[in-house]
Amino acid sequence: MTQLDLPITGMTCASCANRIEKRLNKLDGVRASVNYATEKASVSYEDGVVAPEDLVSAVEQAGYQATLPGAADAPGAGEEEVDETAPLRRRLIVSAILSLPIVALAMIPPLQFEYWQWLSLQLATPVVLWAGWPFHRAAWANLKHGAATMDTLISVGTLAAYGYSIVALFLLGAGEAGMSMHFNLIPERGMGTDEIYFEVAGVVITFILAGRYFEARAKRKAGAALKALMELGAKEVSLLEADGTERRVPADGLQVGDRFVVRPGEKVATDGEVQEGSSAVDRSLLTGESIPVEVAPGDAVTGATVNVGGRLVVRASRVGADTALAQIAQLVTDAQSGKAPVQRLADRISGVFVPIVLAIAAAALGFWLGAGDTGLAFTAAVAVLIIACPCALGLATPTALLVGTGRGAQLGLLIKGPEVLESTRRVDTIVLDKTGTVTTGKMSLHEIAVAEGTDRDEALRLVGALENASEHPIAQAIARAAREAFGRLEAPESFTNREGLGVAGTVEGHGVIAGRPVLLEDQGIHLPAELDAAKREAEAQGRTAIAAAWDGEPRAIFVVADTIKDSSAEAVRRMRELGLRPVLLTGDNETTAKAVAAQVGIDEVIAEVLPSEKSAVVTRLQGEGRVVAMVGDGVNDAPALAQADLGLAIGTGTDVAIEASDLTLVSGDLRAAADAIRLSRRTLGTIKSNLFWAFAYNVAALPLAASGYLNPVIAGAAMAFSSVFVVSNSLRLRRFAAERDGQASGRVPTPGMEPEPAEPRTVGV
């Protein structure tokens, strides 16, 4: 399946998006989702079955316009800023200026000179026909395609008010009756058939134009975060030529392997590896972390981060769409184009909303005509047409998603899709992988305890050479210490990896085993008292003990330690405040795991878990009735992240883990996990409040209008306000702040949960 984001123009309400989506999904091999807020269709289609041009044609057949994105276009690149609100603003200003005297004449009897109603006609005509032209044009286009949208309701309602008033003036002798025309908040029963409604037509169009204008402005603000993210990258870069000279070139012209210079204060042009120099890099634009990170030759740097220290020479490793910035932008775009399950109901309602409203308006007109009240019949019918608003329903979810995911991207919190939001609400247990998540994952060798008669240097040389063939962080810590001591290490003649247990092989003619003590015991090798004591002492301190043997004899204990992240204890506290039950998951032994858990405030530990068993642990917890979130960073965490109800990947981890997760934390700060869940819950809460008010508005307003108790002018104002309210409510998410400053969040801990857990308990597996 090929994925394509198709920009669409001409949509004016949620029912438009619903029509386009239905038309696209009728094509063979096409799955489409149309987002009214972002004005894009996210389309998956089968090559050879459907061509991109067919998608554009389907949109045009529905009465709208679509354009194929250029193949060479980069997100946000080369786009000229166009103020799409300018035409709305011009029509709104003219409409407001002309409508004000119409209302004044209708409301203030001393201003009503002889035949003043003819002036009202002259003022109302350009408002209805010119300012309201976009509504009439869209209504006619929809009518030609056999459809009705929000524009149909506005056009029919205002033209009916305008046309009825002209008939009253010319045919019903309104010259005398016009003196009684007034502006009523609640229509009076039994009004005569000669009442005219120029102020209704003019003011309703003004209010709706105002609503559309402020809605459009708010929608632009809602997407500002993603636009800003896409524009973070450097525009130019100093390319370093082979002869050592520098040349300024556009940043998008860099190729993999190019070397470029980054001076203090400049942005890193693309992802790469430092070749020369050392400095500090400010990554806050991407990760939300305020403290710059030190980099030196061999360290990776990310495009769009800022060099705040010395001069760097960087070799480009990823360019264009492959860079971290581009991938983050794509993740956010995908999330914003998706639809939450709760939105499906709103879409179904929007799809049938306009025909239902037309039916209600016709029923109200017929009922009051049958009751002999022509004036009230007209007032009720027009009010029903004007008050109805599927726009608020259609905007409720996508605008909140737009703002929430955009704000998350600014803070380094990437929400993969709208379905994730519902999971964050239900989660009650959060499983934390230890290495690389709670701890830094940077293991180092602290000490070596050797058996009697064993040379320490020999132990480090043999075991270091064997471990050098492994990628495991513990193995690399031992190998790194050996390389520092002896320089180049001999490659083992044979090597076997025992997943989750250790390694075995032949080094310098010796059969060497290194790993968990249980690995040695499986070979019938038991630790002597002095090595067993060293192992127990290391584990009591929260360190990892690696047992080593060669030639069938136990030789040494290597004590390796990982450092707990400074933020981990605070992160666990914040998770508890969110009502989550933290669980530490690790392959380490129970004693080490309990020591780490005690330091960060976790009272439930699942230890000695093989990598292949992590997913089964999550499944078991789910079987106990828990809704589980999993936080991890390694390849071996990917199955557990995918199995969990909510997977959170540390962005400093592997691509596999990030791909398997639902939420990605760009920074390595565990507090970001609590921030991500808070933001997701806040976004979900905003969606639900938007939908509540959108539904409540229509449920209350339609019966009120149909019963004749609502003036069409007030109906127009209320309709415009409903959409503006929904978008403005969503914009409040822009003020969401991450809590990573070490300060207390101010929340009261969840009842029944101790702020500082008791002695950790270990759960067997």
Side-chain angles (χ1 to χ4, degrees):
M1 300 289 283
T2 301
Q3 182 70 31
L4 178 68
D5 286 331
L6 203 62
I8 294 177
T9 56
M11 292 191 295
T12 55
C13 68
S15 55
C16 297
N18 191 271
R19 284 186 55 221
I20 298 171
E21 186 171 302
K22 286 182 178 178
R23 181 63 66 97
L24 287 171
N25 283 321
K26 285 182 180 178
L27 299 176
D28 292 336
V30 171
R31 290 201 305 270
S33 175
V34 179
N35 191 316
Y36 172 49
T38 60
E39 298 182 334
K40 286 185 178 180
S42 180
V43 186
S44 297
Y45 64 96
E46 295 182 14
D47 284 322
V49 178
V50 176
E53 292 75 16
D54 298 330
L55 304 175
V56 174
S57 177
V59 173
E60 291 174 347
Q61 289 171 13
Y64 304 89
Q65 296 79 45
T67 54
L68 290 173
D73 290 348
E79 295 179 2
E80 186 176 342
E81 183 69 21
V82 178
D83 185 3
E84 298 178 354
T85 64
L88 271 175
R89 183 170 60 247
R90 287 194 296 270
R91 292 181 188 274
L92 171 61
I93 292 172
V94 172
S95 179
I97 291 172
L98 296 179
S99 297
L100 186 60
I102 302 176
V103 175
L105 288 171
M107 292 182 65
I108 307 172
L111 298 179
Q112 296 172 350
F113 55 87
E114 187 176 5
Y115 299 118
W116 59 268
Q117 63 274 12
W118 295 98
L119 176 61
S120 294
L121 169 62
Q122 290 178 311
L123 293 173
T125 298
V127 174
V128 173
L129 300 183
W130 178 77
W133 174 245
F135 308 128
H136 310 317
R137 180 181 56 198
W140 175 248
N142 287 317
L143 181 62
K144 289 192 295 184
H145 290 86
T149 66
M150 190 64 221
D151 292 301
T152 306
L153 303 181
I154 297 170
S155 180
V156 170
T158 55
L159 287 177
Y162 177 74
Y164 183 89
S165 300
I166 292 177
V167 171
L169 273 177
F170 285 94
L171 300 182
L172 300 180
E176 178 180 344
M179 294 294 294
S180 66
M181 187 175 73
H182 46 78
F183 187 93
N184 291 319
L185 296 183
I186 301 179
E188 298 176 7
R189 302 279 178 173
M191 296 173 69
T193 60
D194 54 355
E195 173 129 4
I196 60 178
Y197 295 92
F198 288 128
E199 88 282 12
V200 170
V203 175
V204 163
I205 284 179
T206 301
F207 278 145
I208 294 173
L209 282 173
R212 290 272 174 96
Y213 172 68
F214 290 116
E215 176 189 315
R217 284 188 60 187
K219 282 165 65 178
R220 289 184 67 189
K221 290 181 182 178
L226 178 58
K227 182 174 177 59
L229 181 69
M230 291 176 169
E231 294 177 347
L232 281 179
K235 302 298 183 289
E236 287 190 333
V237 60
S238 294
L239 182 66
L240 192 62
E241 303 284 9
D243 59 2
T245 60
E246 296 180 26
R247 179 166 55 93
R248 297 291 289 182
V249 298
D252 56 11
L254 281 176
Q255 302 293 323
V256 173
D258 285 347
R259 299 170 77 232
F260 58 93
V261 177
V262 188
R263 290 181 172 80
E266 289 185 339
K267 290 181 179 178
V268 179
T270 192
D271 298 357
E273 180 181 292
V274 177
Q275 301 283 292
E276 299 175 18
S278 60
S279 180
V281 175
D282 181 357
R283 305 189 303 172
S284 59
L285 292 173
L286 290 181
T287 68
E289 293 179 315
S290 59
I291 301 175
V293 177
E294 297 291 333
V295 295
D299 290 337
V301 288
T302 306
T305 54
V306 180
N307 178 16
V308 296
R311 177 181 181 272
L312 296 174
V313 175
V314 179
R315 179 184 177 277
S317 59
R318 292 190 294 187
V319 297
D322 295 328
T323 63
L325 177 63
Q327 290 174 356
I328 288 172
Q330 188 59 51
L331 277 173
V332 177
T333 301
D334 292 344
Q336 292 179 347
S337 63
K339 290 189 178 182
V342 70
Q343 188 182 349
R344 302 293 177 182
L345 174 62
D347 284 349
R348 287 196 295 270
I349 293 174
S350 297
V352 299
F353 189 84
V354 174
I356 290 175
V357 170
L358 289 171
I360 294 174
L365 179 67
F367 176 82
W368 291 114
L369 285 176
D373 196 333
T374 306
L376 189 58
F378 181 77
T379 298
V382 172
V384 167
L385 292 172
I386 299 301
I387 195 68
C389 184
C391 301
L393 286 174
L395 289 168
T397 298
T399 53
L401 271 177
L402 200 64
V403 182
T405 54
R407 180 58 181 154
Q410 290 178 321
L411 298 173
L413 315 172
L414 305 183
I415 304 170
K416 273 203 172 176
E419 299 83 0
V420 174
L421 303 178
E422 192 67 30
S423 298
T424 63
R425 181 186 65 82
R426 298 183 293 110
V427 164
D428 55 32
T429 300
I430 184 162
V431 177
L432 307 174
D433 176 60
K434 182 178 77 69
T435 305
T437 302
V438 175
T439 65
T440 62
K442 296 178 180 178
M443 311 293 287
S444 59
L445 179 62
H446 278 245
E447 60 179 294
I448 304 173
V450 295
E452 185 178 354
T454 300
D455 180 70
R456 182 185 182 281
D457 287 346
E458 182 184 22
L460 180 58
R461 188 182 72 254
L462 293 178
V463 176
L466 180 66
E467 297 282 30
N468 197 39
S470 172
E471 294 295 329
H472 195 281
I474 293 176
Q476 283 301 302
I478 297 173
R480 185 164 53 250
R483 287 195 300 270
E484 291 173 358
F486 306 108
R488 183 176 177 275
L489 299 174
E490 293 292 334
E493 291 99 65
S494 64
F495 176 83
T496 303
N497 179 48
R498 299 287 300 277
E499 186 179 5
L501 295 174
V503 292
T506 304
V507 180
E508 298 179 12
H510 300 281
V512 183
I513 302 174
R516 290 188 187 182
V518 68
L519 178 60
L520 273 65
E521 292 173 2
D522 288 345
Q523 304 295 320
I525 303 171
H526 301 281
L527 296 178
E530 66 270 25
L531 293 186
D532 188 60
K535 176 183 83 74
R536 293 180 184 276
E537 182 181 355
E539 292 173 348
Q541 295 174 355
R543 297 174 176 177
T544 301
I546 298 298
W550 60 85
D551 298 335
E553 296 293 332
R555 303 287 185 169
I557 292 291
F558 289 76
V559 180
V560 179
D562 191 1
T563 305
I564 296 175
K565 293 179 181 177
D566 295 336
S567 60
S568 292
E570 186 182 353
V572 170
R573 177 182 61 78
R574 289 179 179 173
M575 291 171 187
R576 289 183 176 278
E577 291 175 355
L578 292 170
L580 302 176
R581 181 178 176 182
V583 177
L584 185 68
L585 179 65
T586 179
D588 272 347
N589 60 78
E590 294 181 10
T591 307
T592 300
K594 288 172 65 177
V596 172
Q599 292 182 62
V600 298
I602 297 177
D603 62 352
E604 186 172 349
V605 176
I606 303 177
E608 300 184 14
V609 179
L610 295 176
S612 59
E613 296 174 342
K614 290 184 176 181
S615 178
V617 169
V618 172
T619 303
R620 192 194 72 196
L621 292 173
Q622 291 170 327
E624 295 172 0
R626 303 195 206 183
V627 181
V628 180
M630 169 76 189
V631 187
D633 72 324
V635 173
N636 55 24
D637 296 325
L641 289 169
Q643 174 62 37
D645 299 283
L646 178 69
L648 297 93
I650 298 290
T652 52
T654 65
D655 292 341
V656 176
I658 293 171
E659 184 64 30
S661 68
D662 302 306
L663 285 165
T664 300
L665 317 175
V666 179
S667 74
D669 192 331
L670 188 57
R671 289 175 296 184
D675 289 331
I677 292 174
R678 278 199 310 119
L679 175 60
S680 298
R681 288 181 175 179
R682 184 84 58 84
T683 304
L684 180 64
T686 300
I687 289 173
K688 291 190 172 181
S689 65
N690 283 349
L691 287 171
F692 170 79
W693 288 111
F695 276 114
Y697 161 83
N698 283 291
V699 168
L702 281 173
L704 197 64
S707 61
Y709 284 104
L710 194 63
N711 186 281
V713 171
I714 304 302
M719 192 277 280
F721 173 76
S722 66
S723 294
V724 175
F725 169 81
V726 164
V727 180
S728 300
N729 188 43
S730 298
L731 285 175
R732 294 189 305 127
L733 288 167
R734 296 199 303 172
R735 297 197 295 269
F736 177 88
E739 297 178 348
R740 301 185 211 170
D741 54 4
Q743 302 297 319
S745 66
R747 291 185 180 82
V748 178
T750 304
M753 289 192 177
E754 296 294 330
E756 292 297 333
E759 178 68 19
R761 63 184 179 86
T762 303
V763 180
V765 291

